[in-house]
Amino acid sequence: MLADVIPSINEIRSDELQGKTVMVIDVLRATSTITTALANGSSGVIPVETVCRAKQYQSADQEILLGGERFCKKINGFDLGNSPLEYGTDIVKDKRIVLTTTNGTRAIQKSIKGSQVIAACFLNIDACIQFALESKKDVAIVCSGTQDRFSLEDGLCAGLLIQRLSEADPKLVCNDFATAMRAAYLQMAEHLEEVLMSSDNGRRMCKIGFEADIRFCARLNEYSVVPILNGQMLTPYRF
Ligand SMILES: O=C(O)[C@H](CS(=O)(=O)O)OP(=O)(O)O
Ligand SMILES: [Mg+2]
């Protein structure tokens, strides 16, 4: 099996995703939020790039919830922000959600050439591994990053995915960035929460009061659900 890690949205080459299982990571916070929403009973999350597009969905169907952020904050007129802690069962059960965020939902949109596109994070890491192994396809792991640049939290999650894939397949072949992220993860694994808190995004989010989000997003295997893109919508695949 081949498994490459792509450092940021900027470096996605659509033709290199074809035929692969594409795992899109945005630990802080889009893919953590999507995973939480589906684990808590949402029937689907539609990732869109713009606020305007999100509002069009709700105009057509008043039952849809709008979620997302700009500059980390809930968007005016939206039902929810981009904190996984807002997406509890009482709010999202049986609801469809349209989500727009600065990085993660864009990365998902840019990955649609993949044969199967799934949303990965620390919260659902083993379920994602099981999904990839059962798919028996080569893997591309997309780090959403921040504003087209690499983010450590996404790289470390990619490193853990590579570590788990190589445990399952000792002949796994990776690109150089994947090898580097695996080494980085192994070096920092014992202090994951602290590393996330002191990352660029972690420090920024702590300053504006999202410390609890970071601690939550650092948890491993909280859920066994894999968000999988079916047409426009991410729907839950459960193990
Ligand atoms: O709100 C978030 O978690 C971030 C905001 S920012 O772009 O890092 O300021 O968005 P995301 O798309 O989830 O990375
Ligand atoms: Mg992010």
Side-chain angles (χ1 to χ4, degrees):
M1 183 190 268
L2 297 176
D4 285 346
V5 176
I6 299 163
S8 71
I9 292 180
N10 250 346
E11 291 169 71
I12 297 173
R13 309 277 177 268
S14 286
D15 53 316
E16 292 173 10
L17 304 182
Q18 283 170 8
K20 295 184 180 172
T21 298
V22 179
M23 299 168 149
V24 182
I25 302 172
D26 188 347
V27 169
L28 301 176
R29 299 166 289 178
T31 59
S32 299
T33 296
I34 291 165
T35 301
T36 301
L38 295 184
N40 286 338
S42 161
S43 48
V45 178
I46 302 165
V48 300
E49 293 204 32
T50 66
V51 172
C52 181
R53 187 85 189 101
K55 286 183 173 167
Q56 285 169 353
Y57 271 97
Q58 204 182 41
S59 307
D61 179 354
Q62 309 283 310
E63 290 291 299
I64 280 181
L65 294 177
L66 295 188
E69 57 70 39
R70 289 297 181 268
F71 306 104
C72 299
K73 304 268 178 63
K74 189 171 105 170
I75 298 160
N76 258 346
F78 274 38
D79 303 293
L80 298 159
N82 189 29
S83 165
L85 303 177
E86 290 178 77
Y87 289 69
T89 310
D90 50 333
I91 310 287
V92 303
K93 190 156 173 46
D94 299 326
K95 296 280 190 187
R96 281 193 301 156
I97 298 160
V98 174
L99 187 73
T100 181
T101 74
T102 317
N103 308 289
T105 54
R106 277 173 59 223
I108 292 167
Q109 290 291 348
K110 286 190 186 302
S111 299
I112 51 172
K113 283 279 165 61
S115 166
Q116 289 166 314
V117 180
I118 66 173
C121 56
F122 288 113
L123 299 171
N124 68 347
I125 205 105
D126 282 352
C128 290
I129 291 299
Q130 200 174 335
F131 184 91
L133 293 173
E134 288 180 8
S135 298
K136 296 191 191 316
K137 291 180 168 57
D138 291 336
V139 169
I141 299 172
V142 173
C143 298
S144 297
T146 300
Q147 308 282 12
D148 296 350
R149 292 193 175 157
F150 173 70
S151 288
L152 181 61
E153 66 277 10
D154 297 339
L156 294 177
C157 185
L160 175 54
L161 287 167
I162 293 293
Q163 170 64 13
R164 293 276 202 270
L165 287 171
S166 58
E167 283 163 5
D169 175 6
K171 291 185 183 156
L172 188 78
V173 176
C174 301
N175 67 350
D176 288 351
F177 194 68
T179 305
M181 289 304 100
R182 179 186 179 193
Y185 174 76
L186 293 174
Q187 167 93 19
M188 299 182 202
E190 274 182 39
H191 313 286
L192 191 58
E193 192 179 289
E194 287 71 27
V195 173
L196 260 54
M197 299 290 270
S198 60
S199 66
D200 290 348
N201 270 329
R203 291 197 314 276
R204 191 152 47 89
M205 284 184 186
C206 278
K207 260 192 205 156
I208 53 174
F210 290 124
E211 190 177 324
D213 280 23
I214 301 164
R215 293 195 191 286
F216 182 74
C217 293
R219 291 190 199 169
L220 295 189
N221 293 316
E222 191 73 10
Y223 305 122
S224 57
V225 67
V226 177
I228 175 165
L229 195 61
N230 281 306
Q232 302 289 313
M233 186 156 75
L234 291 148
T235 55
Y237 183 95
R238 294 176 203 283
F239 286 99

